[in-house]
Amino acid sequence: MKEIIVIGGGAAGMMAAIQAAAAGASVTLLERNEKVGRKLYITGKGRCNVTNDSTAPECLKNYPRGAKFLSSSMYRFPPAKTMEFFEGLGVELKTERGNRVFPVSDRSADIIDALLREVRRQKVYLLNQKASDLVSDGEKVTGVRLTNGRVLPADAVIIATGGVSYPATGSTGDGYRWAEKAGHTVVKPKASLVPLTCEGDDCKNMMGLSLRNIRLKIKNQKKKVVFEEFGELLFTHFGMSGPLILSASAHLKNFDTERYSAIIDLKPALEEKRLDERILRDFGENPNRDIPNVLGGLLPRLMIPVMIQRAGIAPDTKVHDVTKAQRRRLLEELKGFRLVINGTRPVEEAIITSGGVKLSEVNPTTMESKKLPGLYFAGEVLDIDGYTGGFNLQAAWCTGFAAGIAAAER
């Protein structure tokens, strides 16, 4: 039997180990943590957004980097196969808004437990040890050295160690170091799907406020729209977070040389003329009330002080004293609330890592290294990143599937 070692007991690693063992190989799964799937526990806010219920072509549109590379493995193991796989392991699934797929139980643990049961059923040897290095004879991989000095021989090694986000889960960048030692180029890891920081105190003053059903545009310094989508976001003490912001962050790079602005349309369903008519109606019905008390029908409470300040209106102004120019500025803010983005939160706080093993140096069909035969990669260690909505886990499943089978059949 072929001896295969998989380094990393996360989504990609467990999938690779299961497939390699099912294809007839003797598989050892190395996991440095006491339990497998540490990062899976926290995905989807603890609910585990398993995949996105879309076709392979639709799914591939959701990767800012790596879509072409993923094409072969995605068509081979699309979201439908992922859902079939987990349902076959006894996990009931459901599809929610945005085609996001979750376990019916809303428990990440059910996904992890199902994978672990299958790992054991396929007789994968689960070893709770930390790898320190790859071993090769100069022509191919021959094994893995553990931190205790012991060398495990192998015909193939699959690196599925993740990126550098959430290092407490075990993603500390070891896979990058081993890849570089094997002759690979590693694209510098950066935060992706990460909250954004903003200039000024407006976000801090609205901390905790969640906006739904708004339209977000992100423009670069040349006024070009680099991201535009409808959805929800959250104001924090440092800036913004939430689904829209996390997806937008995948498009924002090089903050040293580039500047970005967020423009929020708070009333995307209303054209300016109709919105102005709405404001005039509210004002006409409440001419003697203070302006903050009248804006409650248009704005959430936490946003009112920020908005009237931007419109140049004093908080104690009566509605009948609001000038036409002030009302115009209020309308403009409702349709284009602008914030200057000055960076991202640290990579350790990112959901995923942008960057990793350069894709041109890996076979997209088998996930095998073009630099060192017998070495394979799967999951986030590769320079692939997708939007929120189950796309990053889908990339882990399909690359793990491809790597496991190819390593066993090599």
Side-chain angles (χ1 to χ4, degrees), residues 5-8 12-13 134 144 157-162 174-179 182 357 375-382 403:
I5 296 173
V6 180
I7 310 176
L134 299 177
V144 173
V157 174
I158 301 172
I159 295 177
T161 50
D174 288 341
Y176 300 148
R177 178 169 56 83
W178 300 327
V357 177
L375 177 63
Y376 296 77
F377 300 97
E380 198 181 338
V381 71
L382 292 161

Side-chain angles (χ1 to χ4, degrees), residues 41-344:
Y41 272 111
I42 60 176
T43 60
K45 297 181 180 177
R47 298 171 62 213
C48 194
N49 187 181
V50 181
T51 186
N52 190 280
D53 189 6
S54 53
T55 64
E58 290 168 343
C59 197
L60 288 167
K61 293 176 183 177
N62 290 275
Y63 298 89
R65 277 160 295 279
K68 185 178 179 182
F69 176 87
L70 271 179
S71 182
S72 175
S73 60
M74 184 72 73
Y75 274 90
R76 192 175 177 190
F77 197 78
K81 286 282 183 72
T82 297
M83 295 168 70
E84 181 183 320
F85 172 79
F86 281 104
E87 286 169 341
L89 298 184
V91 181
E92 289 186 76
L93 302 175
K94 61 181 177 179
T95 302
E96 297 186 357
R97 181 173 52 85
N99 293 327
R100 290 168 165 83
V101 178
F102 295 91
V104 168
S105 65
D106 285 331
R107 295 177 67 249
S108 296
D110 287 355
I111 296 295
I112 299 163
D113 290 346
L115 287 167
L116 189 53
R117 284 195 303 270
E118 187 65 8
V119 162
R120 289 169 175 157
R121 193 179 76 83
Q122 294 292 349
K123 296 182 171 54
V124 172
Y125 178 48
L126 185 54
L127 183 59
N128 182 214
Q129 293 282 343
K130 184 180 177 183
S132 68
D133 213 345
L134 299 177
V135 180
S136 74
D137 61 7
E139 295 183 358
K140 64 183 184 302
V141 164
T142 58
V144 173
R145 181 175 288 106
L146 305 180
T147 51
N148 62 12
R150 178 185 172 195
V151 173
L152 303 179
D155 297 300
V157 174
I158 301 172
I159 295 177
T161 50
V164 289
S165 59
Y166 294 122
T169 65
S171 299
T172 54
D174 288 341
Y176 300 148
R177 178 169 56 83
W178 300 327
E180 286 182 319
K181 195 170 180 181
H184 279 276
T185 305
V186 173
V187 179
K188 184 180 178 181
K190 294 182 180 180
S192 190
L193 301 190
V194 63
L196 300 172
T197 58
C198 297
E199 290 183 0
D201 293 326
D202 283 350
C203 291
K204 183 179 178 181
N205 292 335
M206 297 184 290
M207 182 175 64
L209 172 61
S210 178
L211 296 180
R212 299 174 184 272
N213 302 320
I214 55 96
R215 181 165 294 281
L216 173 70
K217 284 183 184 179
I218 306 287
K219 293 183 178 181
N220 62 17
Q221 60 197 24
K222 296 178 181 178
K223 309 298 182 185
K224 179 183 178 182
V225 175
V226 297
F227 177 85
E228 182 174 3
E229 200 169 309
F230 180 87
E232 60 186 85
L233 59 80
L234 172 71
F235 291 112
T236 69
H237 67 284
F238 55 76
M240 297 183 289
S241 188
L244 272 181
I245 297 302
L246 298 180
S247 290
S249 70
H251 296 267
L252 313 186
K253 305 297 174 187
N254 305 319
F255 279 95
D256 293 339
T257 57
E258 191 74 87
R259 290 180 65 80
Y260 299 96
S261 295
I263 298 95
I264 303 169
D265 184 347
L266 295 155
K267 303 293 178 183
L270 293 176
E271 296 178 358
E272 276 198 12
K273 183 180 178 182
R274 287 185 61 198
L275 181 56
D276 193 33
E277 290 171 354
R278 164 76 187 276
I279 296 170
L280 282 169
R281 187 185 72 219
D282 288 357
F283 281 14
E285 292 173 353
N286 303 277
N288 298 314
R289 298 183 69 188
D290 290 343
I291 186 69
N293 298 328
V294 178
L295 290 178
L298 280 171
L299 291 165
R301 179 181 55 82
L302 285 174
M303 202 169 197
I304 291 172
V306 173
M307 193 64 82
I308 60 176
Q309 182 183 35
R310 286 190 172 207
I313 307 172
D316 58 353
T317 302
K318 300 294 183 185
V319 168
H320 61 71
D321 289 329
V322 175
T323 67
K324 186 176 180 180
Q326 288 172 329
R327 195 183 84 240
R328 178 65 198 174
R329 286 202 294 273
L330 181 63
L331 176 65
E332 290 170 350
E333 289 292 337
L334 284 165
K335 294 298 288 181
F337 187 86
R338 184 177 177 274
L339 291 162
V340 176
I341 301 166
N342 57 12
T344 71

